[in-house]
């Protein structure tokens, strides 16, 4: 217990750093990843704006980023992080690579939940003379709402764990703390504390996500 | 009101082209209820769906109220579709929205101002007798009620034409009758021209002023309620109309092919 108490302020700082990294990357996933997911859905051959070349190019880019093992992506993007935030070290720098990974991750989940919408519902909107904007906001995002929230839950949880990996290359956060004290100094107490914090975070996110998705789902 | 002129539809299946609808013409006068009847795969849904270009004809022209839909650009077509209502076998309601929001969607799509939207939503749900279900979600309703919400939605923009794609095929006989009564009422009170696809002969006979019989992608004959002296002539038309029990229809159908 002693070592944990002694490190209380460091633990607090680490939690804050983890939350920063997760928030930034998840925000990027929503702001950039969701529109890319919608684009993928709309341009898929046979869909509303079917466009095979565009679909292939965007799909290829998404797959490209997703096929990088995260740690390698992290290292590969060091120059890019330096360009964007002026440094390659710290939670902000790690957030750049986390965001780059989170965007295609969520984009695919968005695309998938849009594909689950029954075609007839979209067709009814087309038949009513609705514009693309009305179909996207009034039909796609409304009908896929539970799936979008579940996908977001999966994304947040994945990126809590990715952010721990980012800690190892100087990103800070809970993962960094676990490595420095728990692993390099053989301080089991700190290691256990870090794991408990991560478990609690993941449980809270999952619980909140499942609750929200169920509330939004009116399909019974 | 509705004119399909030499429309046809071909699909590519693998490397072959399949004719869903062979060049076919159909004209429906204002205020009529035109039925299209035939077995599954006869091309009747495809023909109906060409009337609002949900299905783009491979060739031919489509006119609604004198306007050639096949000659419009995307924006003009959206505009034109607002005066063509449509209902479906599986209702196709937004499942995460209330009944009122479902009706309101098509009004929003037509850029109707918010105040008028609310009033029109109430009116339309009133017409189909579901004003008390406005705040409920489709999953909380019965099949017949869902179809009535779909009718309310189709009516919201005061359409001239209502297209019905097997609207009663998922419903029991009693509910079917009530839906047909609503369609009749809409046709009578709002002078909406209706085009309806069904495989149920009783539905067609009960509702339609004209019935087109479709077989193999073409209309083989057109029967008119006001001309009972004109008897069906094609074998298919005959057995559709002179049987009282559906099993004998299938029995005779089997015999014909032997």
């Amino acid at each position: 217990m002693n070592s944990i108490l002694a490190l209380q302020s460091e633990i607090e700082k680490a939690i804050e750093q983890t939350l920063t990294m997760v928030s930034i990357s998840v925000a990027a996933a929503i702001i950039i990843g969701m529109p890319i997911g919608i684009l993928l859905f709309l341009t898929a051959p046979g869909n509303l704006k079917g466009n095979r070349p565009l679909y292939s190019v965007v799909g290829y880019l998404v797959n490209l980023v997703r096929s990088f093992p995260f740690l390698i992506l992290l290292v590969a993007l060091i120059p890019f992080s330096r360009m964007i935030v002026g440094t390659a070290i710290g939670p902000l720098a790690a957030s750049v690579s986390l965001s780059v990974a989170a965007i295609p991750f969520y984009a695919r989940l968005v695309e998938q939940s849009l594909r689950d919408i029954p075609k007839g519902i979209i067709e009814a909107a087309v038949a009513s003379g609705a514009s693309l904007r009305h179909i996207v906001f009034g039909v796609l995002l409304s009908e896929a709402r539970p799936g979008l929230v579940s996908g977001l839950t999966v994304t947040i949880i994945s990126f809590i764990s990715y952010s721990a990996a980012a800690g190892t290359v100087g990103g800070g956060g809970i993962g960094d703390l676990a490595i420095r004290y728990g692993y390099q100094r053989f301080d089991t107490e700190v290691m256990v504390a870090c794991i408990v914090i991560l478990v609690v975070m993941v449980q809270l996110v999952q619980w909140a996500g499942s609750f929200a998705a169920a509330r939004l789902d009116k399909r019974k | 009101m509705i004119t399909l002129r030499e429309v046809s539809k071909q699909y590519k299946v693998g490397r072959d082209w399949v004719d869903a609808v062979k060049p076919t013409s159909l004209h429906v006068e204002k205020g009529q209820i035109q039925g299209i009847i035939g077995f599954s795969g006869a091309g009747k849904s495809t023909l109906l769906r060409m009337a609002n270009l949900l299905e783009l004809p491979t060739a031919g022209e489509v006119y609604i109220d004198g306007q050639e839909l096949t000659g419009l650009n995307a924006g003009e077509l959206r505009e034109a579709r607002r005066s063509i209502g449509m209902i479906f076998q599986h209702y196709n309601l937004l499942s995460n929205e209330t009944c009122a929001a479902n009706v309101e969607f098509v009004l929003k799509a037509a850029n109707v101002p918010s105040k008028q939207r609310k009033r029109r939503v109430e009116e339309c749900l009133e017409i189909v007798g579901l004003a008390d279900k406005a705040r409920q979600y489709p999953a909380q309703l019965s099949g017949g009620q869902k179809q009535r919400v779909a009718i309310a939605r189709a009516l919201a923009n005061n359409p001239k034409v209502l297209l019905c794609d097997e609207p009663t095929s998922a419903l029991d006989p009693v509910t079917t009758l009530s839906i047909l009564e609503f369609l009749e009422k809409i046709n009578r009170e709002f002078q909406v021209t209706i085009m309806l696809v069904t495989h149920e002969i009783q539905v067609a006979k009960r509702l339609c002023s004209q019935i087109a019989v479709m077989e193999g992608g073409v209309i083989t004959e057109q029967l008119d309620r006001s001309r009972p002296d004109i008897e069906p002539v094609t074998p298919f038309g005959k057995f559709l109309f002179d049987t009282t029990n559906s099993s004998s229809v299938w029995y005779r159908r089997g015999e014909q092919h032997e």
Side-chain angles (χ1 to χ4, degrees):
Chain A
M1 228 26 215
N2 289 338
S3 60
I4 295 180
L5 289 175
L7 287 174
Q8 199 187 345
S9 71
E10 272 220 54
I11 292 176
E12 277 167 17
K13 196 176 132 212
I15 292 176
E16 195 193 308
Q17 288 176 333
T18 294
L19 292 181
T20 305
M21 289 188 279
V22 173
S23 318
I24 292 177
S25 52
V26 169
I30 296 171
I31 295 165
I32 306 173
M34 192 188 290
I36 293 177
I38 295 170
L39 182 73
L40 280 171
F41 174 76
L42 291 174
T43 57
N47 280 2
L48 277 181
K49 294 283 161 188
N51 181 334
R52 196 183 290 275
L54 184 59
Y55 178 77
S56 306
V57 169
V58 178
Y60 178 78
L61 287 174
V62 163
N63 291 344
L64 182 77
V65 178
R66 292 205 59 196
S67 49
F68 270 83
F70 180 62
L71 217 51
I72 294 172
L73 184 74
L74 205 60
V75 177
L77 287 176
I78 285 177
F80 183 62
S81 304
R82 195 172 281 135
M83 201 174 84
I84 302 262
V85 294
T87 168
I89 298 166
L92 274 185
S95 297
V96 174
S97 3
L98 282 167
S99 299
V100 169
I103 288 165
F105 187 96
Y106 190 48
R108 279 292 183 212
L109 293 177
V110 168
E111 185 198 7
Q112 191 51 52
S113 48
L114 296 178
R115 278 176 194 268
D116 291 339
I117 301 172
K119 285 274 170 290
I121 295 182
I122 300 169
E123 196 164 66
V126 172
S128 75
S131 63
L132 188 64
R133 182 173 65 90
H134 280 110
I135 292 174
V136 168
F137 290 99
V139 179
L140 300 185
L141 295 184
S142 160
E143 283 301 287
R145 220 154 37 191
L148 294 175
V149 170
S150 306
L152 196 60
T153 309
V154 171
T155 308
I156 295 172
I157 290 174
S158 297
F159 281 81
I160 289 176
S161 118
Y162 280 20
S163 77
T168 60
V169 293
I174 307 279
D176 178 44
L177 196 68
I179 293 285
R180 279 190 293 129
Y181 288 85
Y183 179 65
Q184 288 165 351
R185 297 190 196 174
F186 304 104
D187 190 336
T188 312
E189 276 181 27
V190 175
M191 183 62 101
V192 170
C194 290
I195 292 169
V196 168
I197 290 167
L198 289 174
V199 167
V200 169
M201 276 186 183
V202 168
Q203 294 292 347
L204 281 178
V205 170
Q206 185 61 59
W207 175 81
S210 302
F211 178 76
R215 280 294 295 272
L216 291 170
D217 194 348
K218 307 295 182 188
R219 289 170 296 184
K220 288 292 172 301
Chain B
M1 179 56 75
I2 307 172
T3 305
L4 306 176
R5 185 176 294 158
E6 290 296 308
V7 291
S8 62
K9 181 73 187 182
Q10 292 181 311
Y11 289 107
K12 202 167 187 184
V13 178
R15 283 156 75 200
D16 303 320
W17 287 93
V18 175
D19 293 309
V21 174
K22 293 171 188 161
T24 300
S25 297
L26 181 67
H27 178 72
V28 187
E29 290 290 342
K30 186 174 183 347
Q32 300 295 307
I33 303 182
Q34 170 75 55
I36 301 170
I37 191 154
F39 287 124
S40 304
K44 50 194 196 308
S45 270
T46 308
L47 187 70
L48 179 85
R49 291 157 55 84
M50 285 198 279
N52 64 355
L53 300 198
L54 267 189
E55 210 75 72
L56 213 58
T58 310
E61 297 127 47
V62 176
Y63 297 84
I64 300 285
D65 200 17
Q67 185 183 35
E68 189 193 342
L69 295 195
T70 30
L72 302 179
N73 66 32
E76 292 166 337
L77 177 60
R78 279 201 299 276
E79 191 77 38
R81 276 173 170 161
R82 286 168 198 160
S83 54
I84 310 171
M86 188 167 192
I87 61 173
F88 306 83
Q89 179 176 359
H90 297 295
Y91 330 118
N92 293 345
L93 297 171
L94 296 165
S95 53
N96 287 327
E97 303 289 346
T98 61
C99 297
N102 264 282
V103 178
E104 197 180 1
F105 174 82
V106 298
L107 293 165
K108 275 187 193 161
N111 303 316
V112 177
S114 168
K115 261 192 189 153
Q116 282 167 256
R117 285 206 304 261
K118 302 282 179 233
R119 192 157 14 100
R120 185 66 186 148
V121 167
E122 279 171 32
E123 280 171 11
C124 291
L125 287 174
E126 197 72 55
I127 292 168
V128 297
L130 288 175
D132 56 326
K133 305 284 185 200
R135 301 179 70 94
Q136 302 215 10
Y137 291 91
Q140 296 168 295
L141 306 181
S142 69
Q145 289 172 329
K146 283 183 212 170
Q147 195 59 290
R148 278 150 66 190
V149 174
I151 292 173
R153 172 173 71 173
L155 287 181
N157 285 323
N158 293 307
K160 293 172 271 191
V161 169
L162 180 62
L163 306 176
C164 309
D165 193 357
E166 302 267 12
T168 59
S169 301
L171 302 172
D172 64 65
V174 178
T175 314
T176 293
L177 209 58
S178 94
I179 294 295
L180 296 184
E181 276 164 9
F182 275 112
L183 293 178
E184 226 162 24
K185 176 180 156 187
I186 285 154
N187 169 255
R188 206 174 45 236
E189 288 180 17
F190 308 106
Q191 276 77 52
V192 175
T193 309
I194 295 180
M195 189 165 162
L196 169 133
V197 158
T198 182
H199 62 264
E200 298 165 295
I201 186 66
Q202 298 309 331
V203 166
K205 279 183 174 169
R206 170 80 171 70
L207 187 68
C208 300
S209 45
Q210 279 83 27
I211 301 177
V213 180
M214 253 189 119
E215 205 182 354
V218 284
I219 293 176
T220 48
E221 62 185 316
Q222 170 87 297
L223 302 160
D224 196 315
R225 183 145 73 186
S226 61
R227 297 291 307 276
D229 51 309
I230 302 175
E231 293 275 312
V233 288
T234 62
F236 184 62
K238 273 184 186 158
F239 81 69
L240 266 178
F241 278 81
D242 76 5
T243 44
T244 46
N245 106 37
S246 56
S247 61
S248 75
V249 172
W250 290 101
Y251 179 60
R252 289 201 204 176
R253 177 94 174 135
E255 268 184 350
Q256 275 185 341
H257 282 287
E258 274 166 17

